[in-house]
Amino acid sequence: MLPAPFRLSFVAVPLLVSAGALAMAAFPRKMTSWQTRSPDGSTGRIEPSDTRILMMRVMGVVVAALALLMAFGTFSFIP
């Protein structure tokens, strides 16, 4: 039997990872767009392509699913 704080890390870390991955999947444009400023003072935005946005959504869901599986599946083999 592992101590309680050590077991808590097996749940807390995957939950934080899944929350970040779901945020990336839900809001990929807000999390990956950059504001640029040229030497003359004008500003512009750099945004990723639609294919990259789609892949970020898919990978965010996959990473979140793996993290949740790790969070709740850990206790099946670590009592």
Side-chain angles (χ1 to χ4, degrees):
M1 189 80 164
L2 295 173
F6 190 65
R7 287 188 314 181
L8 182 64
S9 68
F10 279 107
V11 175
V13 172
L15 286 179
L16 287 173
V17 169
S18 67
L22 287 176
M24 183 62 87
F27 309 109
R29 289 198 194 272
K30 290 196 181 275
M31 298 187 78
T32 58
S33 62
W34 297 277
Q35 181 114 16
T36 61
R37 178 169 291 148
S38 65
D40 64 353
S42 62
T43 60
R45 289 187 75 75
I46 298 174
E47 293 192 6
S49 67
D50 290 335
T51 305
R52 182 176 285 250
I53 293 292
L54 177 67
M55 289 308 298
M56 286 173 62
R57 287 183 192 262
V58 170
M59 290 308 296
V61 170
V62 168
V63 168
L66 287 173
L68 288 173
L69 179 69
M70 190 172 135
F72 296 112
T74 301
F75 294 112
S76 62
F77 61 90
I78 297 178

